Amino acid sequence: MEPLAPHEKIFVDSDIVDDENHGEIACHECHGGNPDDPDWKTAHKGVVKDPTYPDATSACGDCHDEINENYQKSLHASLRPYRLTIDKRSNPNAVIRNKVECAMNSHCYQCHSSCGQCHISRPNSVEGGFLDGHLFQKKPPMQEVCTACHGSRIEKEYFGENKGVLPDVHKEKYMKCDKCHTGDEMHGNGKDYANRYEVENGSKCLDCHEGVYGREAKNVITHRIHRDKAGCQVCHAQPYKNCSACHVGKDEKGLTFFKTKASWLDFKIGLNPLKSEKRPEKFVTLRHIPVDRGTFDFYVKDGLSNFDTLPTWKLATPHNIRLKTPQNSNCNACHGNESLFLLEKDIEDKEKEANKGVIVPANLIPRKQKWQPK
Amino acid sequence: MKYFRVIGLAVALCLALIPGNPFISQASEDTQCFKCHTSAKKLIEITREIAKTRPALKSSETKGEG
C-alpha cells in the first residue's frame, strides 16, 4: 500500500470540531504536548502519537468502557496466538527463550492494532496517517485499515488479485469485511482465545447460509453427505497464497527487516489440526505459513528447537469463495484426486515431523464415486 | 424572576440550534495544535524540515510478503 505523504498523515480536518462526540476533546487531552506553545518542536515534547496503544483506558475508556475492557484481550491487541505458537516451538532454555522473546518484540509484536489504528489512522505497519483528517470512523475503511495489514493473503484473494484466480463471490456482492467480521468480533468479548477459530462471536459461513442443510436447499444431499466431514472452503475455495522461510534481523543501521521466500499459489486439503465442537470437520484447507526453523537465527541459534510440535501447514479459511469451483464440479473432481490433498510427498523432509498430524494418508483420500447426486 | 428564566431558556435553545457549539469550537480552534494541523501549508513546511534531519525508518533489506 502506497504510504501517505508526510503532511497528509497529520493533516486534521477542521470539521472535527463539529463531531458531537469527540469534537469537544482538545488535542492535548489525549496526545499530551503543550497546546499553547507556538514552537512546534517544543510543543510536541511528551506528545503520544497513538494514545490508544497499548492501553486505551485514558483516551477511550471513559465513554467506551466495555469495549475498552474487552479489547485488551482481543486477538488484534493481545496477539495471543502468536505468543502461544512461538512459545510451543521455542527452545525451553530460559536464556535462549528470552532472546526469542526480544526478537518477537522487535518484529512479530509490531503487528497489532488499537482503537486509534482502526478508527482514526491507518495501522502503524503501513506507516500510519490519518484516515480522513482525524475524523473518527465508526466503521474502519476496508482497504485502508483491514487489508492494509491483511494484504498479502486476504486482500489478494478477496479482490481476485492472484493471477488466474477469481475474486471472492462475496466481494462481487459488494460485501465489505465488517459484513461478516462484526465490531463485536473485532473488539473481543473479554475472553482469552488461543486462535481465531475459537472466538465465540467469530464469523461462520452458516451464520448466513444456515439453510444449506434444509430440505429445500439446492445441493442438499451433497451438503448433508459432507457435513462435519469437510470444511466449506474444501469445496468452495480456490487456490490461495502460501508463504515460507521467514527470517528476521536488523540491518547495519539497526533497522528491522524480514525476508521470506517467494510465495506460491496452492490448494491443499489436509486433516483438521484444530478439531473442535465448533469446527468438527475431518478435512480442511491448509495454508503453509512463513515460520521457519531458523526464523530467529539472527538473534539466537536454535531458538525454535521445538519446531516440530506444531504443523507449518495451518488451518486456513481462504477468502476467495465461489459457488462453483473445479473441485466441486462433480464428485470425482475431488474424490480420488490426489493432487488436492496434502500428501507426504508434498512436504519437505525438514518439515515432515511437524506436519505428520495434517498429512492425509493414502487410505484416507476419499475414493472415486460411481454414484452422483442429481 | 420568571422573565430571566424565559430569557435563559431562549438563549439555551438558540445555542443548541446553532450547528457546532461555538464555545467548543472556540476552545479547540484556539490551540496551536489545531492552527498548525489544519494548515496544509504549515504541515508541508514542517514535514520537509523534519525529513531533512530524520533518517529512513524502513530497512531496504526487507524482501517478500509479510
Side-chain angles (χ1 to χ4, degrees):
Chain A
M1 167 177 244
E2 191 65 29
L4 293 169
H7 71 280
E8 287 176 316
K9 290 181 182 176
I10 50 171
F11 179 78
V12 173
D13 189 326
S14 54
D15 283 352
I16 196 165
V17 293
D18 297 330
D19 179 337
E20 58 181 343
N21 297 314
H22 304 99
E24 61 187 274
I25 305 169
C27 312
H28 66 279
E29 287 180 48
C30 292
H31 293 281
N34 183 355
D36 301 318
D37 188 343
D39 181 340
W40 68 268
K41 285 176 187 160
T42 45
H44 283 80
K45 204 173 176 187
V47 158
V48 180
K49 189 179 157 193
D50 179 0
T52 68
Y53 188 83
D55 185 1
T57 306
S58 62
C60 314
D62 282 350
C63 299
H64 306 281
D65 51 344
E66 196 184 333
I67 292 174
N68 178 54
E69 207 170 296
N70 289 341
Y71 179 71
Q72 305 296 329
K73 290 188 175 173
S74 93
L75 300 185
H76 277 96
S78 76
L79 307 175
R80 192 159 181 256
Y82 270 154
R83 292 177 199 278
L84 293 176
T85 53
I86 293 296
D87 267 348
K88 202 158 183 189
R89 291 185 173 109
S90 277
N91 192 316
N93 177 297
V95 177
I96 298 176
R97 177 71 192 91
N98 195 35
K99 287 183 177 170
V100 169
E101 185 66 21
C102 288
M104 292 284 286
N105 279 330
S106 298
H107 299 272
C108 319
Y109 298 156
Q110 295 305 308
C111 267
H112 55 73
S113 199
S114 66
C115 309
Q117 289 177 51
C118 280
H119 295 283
I120 296 166
S121 75
R122 294 179 177 189
N124 278 351
S125 59
V126 288
E127 299 184 27
F130 297 147
L131 292 167
D132 188 10
H134 203 297
L135 299 180
F136 288 71
Q137 311 293 308
K138 190 174 168 66
K139 286 188 179 180
M142 182 174 177
Q143 283 182 281
E144 282 180 284
V145 174
C146 314
T147 61
C149 291
H150 301 277
S152 301
R153 289 165 283 277
I154 304 301
E155 181 184 35
K156 289 196 167 57
E157 288 164 11
Y158 198 70
F159 288 96
E161 290 168 7
N162 290 323
K163 201 175 175 188
V165 182
L166 294 168
D168 194 296
V169 68
H170 302 92
K171 186 258 169 187
E172 292 182 340
K173 305 278 182 198
Y174 303 104
M175 287 167 66
K176 295 189 174 168
C177 307
D178 67 294
K179 191 78 180 173
C180 298
H181 301 286
T182 61
D184 284 344
E185 180 191 348
M186 295 299 104
H187 295 147
N189 60 1
K191 291 185 187 172
D192 272 327
Y193 293 108
N195 62 69
R196 63 192 167 90
Y197 299 108
E198 281 183 2
V199 176
E200 280 164 31
N201 56 6
S203 67
K204 297 185 292 295
C205 305
L206 290 178
D207 291 345
C208 291
H209 301 282
E210 58 184 354
V212 292
Y213 301 119
R215 202 174 283 177
E216 304 300 318
K218 265 187 182 178
N219 301 322
V220 59
I221 297 173
T222 310
H223 281 127
R224 284 187 181 176
I225 288 173
H226 293 89
R227 188 175 198 170
D228 296 347
K229 291 192 183 92
C232 307
Q233 292 81 8
V234 166
C235 296
H236 293 288
Q238 308 170 80
Y240 44 85
K241 194 170 274 186
N242 296 268
C243 305
S244 67
C246 181
H247 285 76
V248 294
K250 285 185 180 172
D251 67 14
E252 56 190 18
K253 291 176 192 158
L255 299 171
T256 57
F257 67 83
F258 68 85
K259 288 178 181 176
T260 59
K261 275 190 185 167
S263 59
W264 73 98
L265 289 177
D266 211 340
F267 179 92
K268 287 293 174 192
I269 302 166
L271 299 180
N272 185 354
L274 292 173
K275 247 184 173 182
S276 65
E277 198 178 320
K278 200 177 161 194
R279 237 167 237 278
E281 298 90 7
K282 182 176 181 179
F283 294 110
V284 293
T285 40
L286 300 175
R287 191 196 298 272
H288 195 282
I289 53 172
V291 72
D292 186 271
R293 211 175 283 273
T295 291
F296 300 112
D297 275 0
F298 178 88
Y299 295 91
V300 60
K301 292 287 174 202
D302 211 20
L304 301 182
S305 63
N306 283 327
F307 188 74
D308 291 337
T309 52
L310 288 171
T312 54
W313 285 86
K314 191 180 162 215
L315 170 61
T317 47
H319 281 54
N320 55 15
I321 296 300
R322 305 294 295 187
L323 180 64
K324 292 183 179 170
T325 57
Q327 72 272 22
N328 75 14
S329 58
N330 64 71
C331 297
N332 292 330
C334 180
H335 284 244
N337 184 354
E338 278 193 1
S339 68
L340 296 178
F341 293 85
L342 186 73
L343 307 177
E344 197 170 345
K345 67 179 172 65
D346 298 320
I347 315 257
E348 281 186 76
D349 284 345
K350 62 177 183 176
E351 292 189 356
K352 280 203 166 110
E353 179 64 19
N355 291 293
K356 64 183 179 189
V358 295
I359 293 170
V360 182
N363 64 331
L364 285 186
I365 296 174
R367 289 186 187 149
K368 281 195 181 297
Q369 300 288 304
K370 285 180 185 164
W371 176 81
Q372 299 270 333
K374 286 178 186 172
Chain B
M1 193 65 187
K2 198 177 170 186
Y3 174 74
F4 287 114
R5 259 192 215 160
V6 172
I7 298 231
L9 270 172
V11 170
L13 190 64
C14 288
L15 285 173
L17 291 175
I18 295 170
N21 188 325
F23 294 120
I24 293 164
S25 302
Q26 191 64 43
S28 297
E29 283 165 0
D30 269 354
T31 66
Q32 291 297 329
C33 328
F34 194 86
K35 282 178 188 162
C36 191
H37 279 268
T38 53
S39 163
K41 186 172 180 282
K42 280 186 187 166
L43 291 178
I44 289 169
E45 286 166 6
I46 291 170
T47 50
R48 279 182 183 163
E49 196 180 326
I50 293 170
K52 280 179 197 164
T53 55
R54 192 176 284 183
L57 295 171
K58 268 196 165 178
S59 173
S60 56
E61 286 197 38
T62 291
K63 269 183 200 154
E65 293 164 288

